[in-house]
Amino acid sequence: MYGCCSPECQHHSLKGYVRDGKLVKIEAGEVNECGICPRGIARVEMVNSDARLTMPLKATGPKGSGQFEEISWDEAFDLMEQHINDAVESDGSQSIAYTVGSGNFSNLSTNAWRAFFSWIGDGCTMLSDNTCCAGIDAGMTPMLGKRAQATRDQFVHSNYVIFWGNNPAITLGGYFERFEEVVANGGTLCTIDPYYSESAEKSQEWLQIYPSSDLALGLHMLNTIITENLYDQDYLIAHTTAPCIIDQTGNNLLLGDSNNSTSYQVYDRRTGQLVAHDAQDIDPALSLKGTQYENQYQTVFDVIAEKAAEVDDATLETECGISAEDAKRVARDYAHAEHAMIIQNMGGYQRTEFGAWATAVGIYLALFTGNIGHVGDGVYDAGGINNIQTAGSPFQTNPNVTQKGSLHRVHFGEQIESDDPYKINMMLIACQNFAAQMPNTNMVKRGLEKIPFVVTVDMFMTATAQYSDLVLPVAAVFEKEDVTASSRSNIISLSEAGLEPPGQAKSDFEIVKELSKRMGFGDIFSDTPAHYIENVLRPYNISYDRLKGEKAIDMRDPNWLAFKDGNFPTASGKAELFVTRWENQGFPPIPEYRRAEESILNADKYPLAAVQRKTYRTIHTTFSQLETLQKMFDDRPPAIINTEDAQDRGIANGDIVTVFNDRGEHVCRAKVNDRVKKGVIVLENGWQDGVGIDGTSSSNVTNNAFPTLGTIHTCNSTLVDVRKGE
Ligand SMILES: Nc1nc2c(c(=O)[nH]1)N[C@H]1C(S)=C(S)[C@@H](COP(=O)(O)OP(=O)(O)OC[C@H]3O[C@@H](n4cnc5c(=O)[nH]c(N)nc54)[C@H](O)[C@@H]3O)O[C@H]1N2
Ligand SMILES: Nc1nc2c(c(=O)[nH]1)N[C@H]1C(S)=C(S)[C@@H](COP(=O)(O)OP(=O)(O)OC[C@H]3O[C@@H](n4cnc5c(=O)[nH]c(N)nc54)[C@H](O)[C@@H]3O)O[C@H]1N2
Ligand SMILES: [Mo]
């Protein structure tokens, strides 16, 4: 039978073999974009694991104590129904919060919960913002109109690839050989990372910058491109708002018609007049310098050039800790390359205080050099099928849901403590290890402790389940019918149900279906999975029967090009370099260099800058219960420490150490080497507190700064110290 490996990763189609009702072997399905990985194959161990949850569990001790008793589904549903009704009666449906995470991107799992909570009262409080790619969202979406990039097949056509603050050798593992082909064809790979990562190892260039300093590097590179005349003037004029004029407040673009929000004005060199940017037969000037308007206005280009020039060589060297010559060489090579590409990949650099601006400046670099919209160039985040068509929710949601005040993931504990925006009486967590993956774990746990009734739905006992009042056992792949048509792969994969779930585990969909029946929600979830899969497939013009026959369908369109011919789905049709949306959050519409509060250059009480990395061991905490995988890696969460920093603290390679700050402590095993820049310590994502074979979570120390531009997860703007011992 066929299934899909669907945590937030590459969503491979898997082929599973069953003997005597037991999953015994996994191979790659026939239809895949690239090879599958050890975690996909380890699904045999996952599905069969003795650690799987088999019955609903009700807490019998205080949160975090790990004391539970098994109860029946009837009792579990009774409890849920009673708490939902009580919460609505006492404080309204907004007093019920829910959050869904990245544990399963299949279309019938988290969507079922989202739809369910819409039918309670006038809707519940969904936790807002995301801890993954909020930086990319806040940068790319307003500038380019949507997050889109070419298909991953196009990597091989690039001549110069920058891995900006991410590590695709690990996190896009199946596709990395395509980058190696770039090198084989004479091209260059460049990694920007404070750590000599697996991708840096494979690169010809490596800029070892300080964490959170990417914005300074980007602006300095832009300055090189502007001052050395390496920019593509024609592209900027034709396809971006660079020539548009900023009004005298500096907060808006100058409009020709106050009723038309995109009637941006440009200076026409032919007539010497200000005219609409999209008027016919005009010759817009990029700069107003030398025109009669130069003392009155500036163009977007003029201000960007000023902001970029603020990061001079000395500033770059201080802020980033690299030589200006190295930064200039990379800027020149990027600009001169025939096809140059920036891989952003939802990377670590955007989980920093000004990560939204760091991604935005990466987009400036592409637009200034015209490196966008052609085969082999562009700016990539995760890549995938949503560039072509987006699968919506297959379930009917309540159209009368009212907008609820925001409860932020990164600020959760503080908000719960102060009942802001509401007193929360109940919370449900599905597909997410909230108490391990949200920043500042102690803050999160305080919040979970205060909420009277917390429900977690998972396959395993997790750090989050430990802080819950009720834990519901969920079915795994091959135990439920589902489909994965998502933003992380171009393949639509069927998941077939061929195995009985262990004990009484049920799929998220089944749980929602039964609960909805009890709550009298009518027929909304009453159909079969096949019916809802059909709903998912409809926009793609694929029938359920076809998918059932083919198991997985390759949706790649060889002619797809993101932002082809300089067309952008923004209101003006141009790439918007001036982003008024940021102003609503109190930030200027053009990025300028700002140092993160928890920058290594501000280090005082805590002198080391901690960054996070993802490894082959897990996808976040998913797979962390599997002994075979764990035995291939470390027995404790590693902390990679520079030799001098370790010596200063009497730490030797292999010592147990504690990484700490005011937020909490993270116990690790020291790996002492010079792959990491002095002053920086590298921590590993995906471990959790107090469950099974795991150690502690690196989120115990991570920054949950709030608010930031884009309400970003700032885990990579974190200052810590480290000491020997537990
Ligand atoms: N094996 C594996 N693959 C995965 C995942 C996983 O957990 N495991 N998770 C998936 C998910 S959800 C995501 S979002 C992607 C993310 O995958 P990537 O986009 O590759 O992101 P990270 O692994 O977070 O990137 C970490 C790198 O960024 C560097 N870094 C940290 N802070 C900074 C900084 O301020 N500046 C710069 N320049 N570099 C910095 C770190 O040293 C590290 O090498 O991977 C996906 N793929
Ligand atoms: N310290 C630190 N924190 C980080 C990051 C970091 O680099 N460092 N990275 C951030 C990023 S990029 C991301 S995307 C997030 C990811 O954070 P999460 O979304 O919390 O990801 P996981 O830890 O994998 O938790 C997913 C859970 O879903 C469960 N699960 C799997 N399948 C199903 C299912 O079908 N139904 C249900 N109900 N549950 C299921 C799994 O067992 C697992 O416990 O973490 C963020 N947090
Ligand atoms: Mo992510």
Side-chain angles (χ1 to χ4, degrees), residues 205-210 216-217 220-221 224 312-332 677:
E205 280 279 6
W206 171 41
L207 296 182
Q208 191 181 26
I209 65 171
Y210 285 132
L217 172 62
H220 184 272
M221 285 171 65
T224 301
D312 58 16
D313 290 354
T315 307
L316 180 274
E317 294 190 348
T318 307
E319 298 298 312
C320 301
I322 60 166
S323 85
E325 265 326 299
D326 286 346
K328 284 181 186 166
R329 185 182 59 254
V330 169
R332 290 174 191 136
K677 199 172 178 72

Side-chain angles (χ1 to χ4, degrees), residues 102-324:
S102 69
N104 188 354
F105 269 49
S106 74
N107 298 66
L108 270 55
S109 50
T110 55
N111 283 327
W113 288 111
R114 286 194 187 94
F116 173 77
F117 284 106
S118 78
W119 293 101
I120 298 174
D122 58 356
C124 302
T125 302
M126 177 165 158
L127 266 72
S128 60
D129 49 69
N130 80 56
T131 52
C132 175
C133 49
I136 301 261
D137 259 345
M140 194 181 280
T141 311
M143 293 179 76
L144 303 184
K146 69 186 257 194
R147 279 170 65 175
Q149 53 269 286
T151 64
R152 291 166 181 164
D153 299 324
Q154 292 170 10
F155 292 160
V156 293
H157 300 294
S158 190
N159 310 103
Y160 196 91
V161 181
I162 299 181
F163 303 133
W164 202 308
N166 58 80
N167 188 13
I170 296 284
T171 57
L172 268 180
Y175 296 86
F176 200 79
E177 60 190 22
R178 298 182 193 177
F179 294 120
E180 297 187 288
E181 220 173 299
V182 169
V183 181
N185 294 337
T188 301
L189 305 178
C190 167
T191 296
I192 300 172
D193 200 310
Y195 176 64
Y196 187 58
S197 66
E198 293 79 352
S199 302
E201 276 176 30
K202 303 264 186 186
S203 297
Q204 289 65 51
E205 280 279 6
W206 171 41
L207 296 182
Q208 191 181 26
I209 65 171
Y210 285 132
S212 304
S213 70
D214 302 79
L215 178 56
L217 172 62
L219 287 167
H220 184 272
M221 285 171 65
L222 193 61
N223 189 43
T224 301
I225 285 167
I226 294 171
T227 54
E228 297 184 5
N229 243 316
L230 302 176
Y231 58 94
D232 184 336
Q233 174 157 325
D234 293 344
Y235 189 91
L236 283 176
I237 290 174
H239 302 299
T240 78
T241 57
C244 296
I245 294 170
I246 302 171
D247 74 8
Q248 279 160 335
T249 67
N251 299 329
N252 294 297
L253 293 179
L254 186 69
L255 299 180
D257 169 0
S258 59
N259 292 322
N260 177 353
S261 62
T262 58
S263 59
Y264 308 151
Q265 299 290 286
V266 296
Y267 176 84
D268 179 16
R269 285 182 288 202
R270 234 168 250 169
T271 59
Q273 303 291 311
L274 300 188
V275 297
H277 73 100
D278 49 1
Q280 298 293 308
D281 298 323
I282 54 168
D283 180 18
L286 258 191
S287 170
L288 288 177
K289 298 221 170 80
T291 74
Q292 72 267 36
Y293 293 101
E294 74 175 323
N295 296 322
Q296 202 177 345
Y297 297 119
Q298 285 182 299
T299 62
V300 171
F301 176 88
D302 287 331
V303 177
I304 292 176
E306 265 178 33
K307 297 293 180 193
E310 283 171 11
V311 185
D312 58 16
D313 290 354
T315 307
L316 180 274
E317 294 190 348
T318 307
E319 298 298 312
C320 301
I322 60 166
S323 85

Side-chain angles (χ1 to χ4, degrees), residues 76-87:
F77 285 134
D78 280 348
L79 271 174
M80 286 184 78
E81 203 181 341
Q82 177 205 326
H83 280 278
I84 289 170
N85 290 337
D86 289 354

